[in-house]
Amino acid sequence: MSVRRVALLTAGGFAPCLSTAVGDLIERYTKLDPSIEIIGYQYGYHGLLTRNYVVFDEDAHANAALLKKYGGSPIGNSRVKLTNSEDLVNRGLIKKGQNALEVAANNLKLDGVDVLHTIGGDDTNTTAADLAAYLKENDYDLTVVGLPKTIDNDIVPIKQSLGAWTAAEQASRFAQNVIGEHRSNPRMLIIHELMGRNCGYLTAQAAYDYHEWVKQQEWLPSAGLSQERWDVHAVYVPEITYDLDVEGSRLRKIMDEIGNVNIFLSEGAGVEEILEELIEDGIEPERDAFGHVKLDTINPGQWFAQKFAKVIGAEKVMVQKSGYFSRSAPSNERDLDLIGQMADLAVECALRGESGVIGQDEEDGDKLKAIDFKRIAGGKPFDVSQEWFGAMLAEIGEPWERK
């Protein structure tokens, strides 16, 4: 396949892989065929609809490795759903009566794009597949090769999405400082709220990383430096059913014994209960362009804090969110290696005209390959039956039951 122009696009929420992936893709193309022109659509599908893009020049090609040292995205993201015409019209991205998919596809054709690399979650990549299908129906061949990005690690059937390891590691680092506040007041309740609307992976992995960090430290109980006070005491994820009365009694005992309680909470845990309360009160929750409830407007952390504070006798409550701290970090070594492997394969597939999302296929022995877009879906739940997760809950004394 003859490739003259490649376009890169990052979309959805940030993850600690975007800048690295952009850098890796530029490096790989430069090494294999420096004559290929590479552009980056600014702010994801927003830039595609408005034909707002940057052309990576010689300096960018020669120094693309610098991008791996940073978090965020050098070409920008946005939350744009091409099938939500009303939202797109209101934002001035398309005119009334226009089909956003048609607009985006025609722009790719006008821009002379042969290969489109989408770095995003299931919505980002499946939308790109729709664009490719539309163009093919209109006699224009476009190869689309996606990279799986989400800190939730919830893309079916991909074993490990890019950036999730780093996000969990950064959330653990965040907790190491925040939980240091546990002696700032008698009977302190600290809730570390993490991102994860439908999947508890990030919360579970971050809690595990933090718990392992605690176990590796040296402690001095006689001077008040206690492992028990620094450790995590509860982990709440959407995939587990909790009896809040039982948990309240358990955490009350911990509070009485050591003087503080530390909770790792997925923002998606308890959302059903919160929404029920809001609806009963006649309150309609705000939603985004994808129809998702805006979790920052219902404050799951504050809801749990109110539920537990009185029950466990907390004198002071602190709710801290690590989401933006974690998701904009530069990739760690583990992610750098995985991103490099995926970017290399993404370019190989692109040059031979093979579309798909690069990932370790859980339904094919975790083989790294281009997975057909039709098999890509979001909402993969965190597998709470994994040994490492169960062992951690047993160590912190938390009873649990899968939903």
Side-chain angles (χ1 to χ4, degrees), residues 63-334:
N63 297 286
L66 285 174
L67 296 175
K68 304 177 193 180
K69 297 181 179 181
Y70 293 87
S73 170
I75 52 178
N77 284 33
S78 64
R79 291 190 180 278
V80 172
K81 189 174 181 65
L82 295 187
T83 55
N84 190 338
S85 297
E86 182 180 356
D87 177 66
L88 297 177
V89 170
N90 291 337
R91 294 165 69 175
L93 296 177
I94 62 171
K95 297 177 182 178
K96 191 171 183 179
Q98 283 187 313
N99 180 329
L101 193 65
E102 182 179 355
V103 171
N106 286 336
N107 286 348
L108 286 166
K109 189 174 181 179
L110 286 171
D111 295 336
V113 175
D114 302 303
V115 172
L116 175 65
H117 285 291
T118 52
I119 309 167
D122 60 296
D123 276 325
T124 299
N125 287 308
T126 53
T127 297
D130 291 338
L131 287 171
Y134 177 88
L135 285 167
K136 191 170 185 178
E137 291 171 3
N138 290 273
D139 300 320
Y140 187 92
D141 286 330
L142 175 73
T143 300
V144 181
V145 183
L147 292 176
K149 172 257 3 163
T150 168
I151 60 176
D152 294 333
N153 197 31
D154 65 346
I155 302 175
V156 177
I158 295 172
K159 180 180 181 181
Q160 189 68 33
S161 62
L162 303 179
W165 281 323
T166 304
E169 178 184 84
Q170 291 294 322
S172 170
R173 290 181 181 178
F174 180 91
Q176 291 164 28
N177 284 4
V178 168
I179 291 178
E181 290 279 332
H182 69 273
R183 297 289 265 176
S184 64
N185 197 85
R187 302 188 72 84
M188 187 82 171
L189 169 60
I190 297 177
I191 296 180
H192 176 194
E193 183 178 338
L194 298 98
M195 290 182 169
R197 178 183 299 275
N198 300 308
C199 178
Y201 166 83
L202 180 61
T203 299
Q205 187 67 62
Y208 176 83
D209 289 351
Y210 177 78
H211 179 61
E212 290 300 303
W213 174 83
V214 168
K215 293 194 309 186
Q216 293 166 11
Q217 306 311 303
E218 293 184 90
W219 304 100
L220 191 60
S222 62
L225 188 61
S226 163
Q227 177 176 339
E228 289 73 24
R229 293 192 182 110
W230 279 81
D231 212 343
V232 56
H233 304 122
V235 181
Y236 300 139
V237 296
E239 293 82 1
I240 293 179
T241 303
Y242 304 95
D243 186 321
L244 296 184
D245 292 330
V246 172
E247 277 295 277
S249 298
R250 182 178 75 85
L251 296 177
R252 177 71 189 228
K253 292 179 182 178
I254 294 173
M255 181 68 85
D256 291 342
E257 290 174 7
I258 66 176
N260 67 283
V261 167
N262 307 317
I263 296 174
F264 276 57
L265 169 72
S266 171
E267 64 182 358
V271 166
E272 293 178 7
E273 292 83 354
I274 298 172
L275 292 179
E276 284 179 9
E277 289 188 5
L278 290 175
I279 292 171
E280 286 178 4
D281 293 337
I283 301 172
E284 179 61 32
E286 293 184 43
R287 298 179 184 272
D288 63 18
F290 293 84
H292 302 144
V293 173
K294 292 185 176 180
L295 295 178
D296 59 336
T297 65
I298 65 174
N299 285 318
Q302 291 294 341
W303 186 83
F304 269 86
Q306 292 171 6
K307 289 290 182 183
F308 279 131
K310 187 175 181 180
V311 173
I312 69 176
E315 289 189 14
K316 184 177 179 181
V317 179
M318 176 187 288
V319 179
Q320 292 291 318
K321 302 180 181 182
S322 63
Y324 294 110
F325 178 86
S326 299
R327 75 179 200 170
S328 294
S331 309
N332 67 11
E333 290 298 323
R334 204 175 181 190

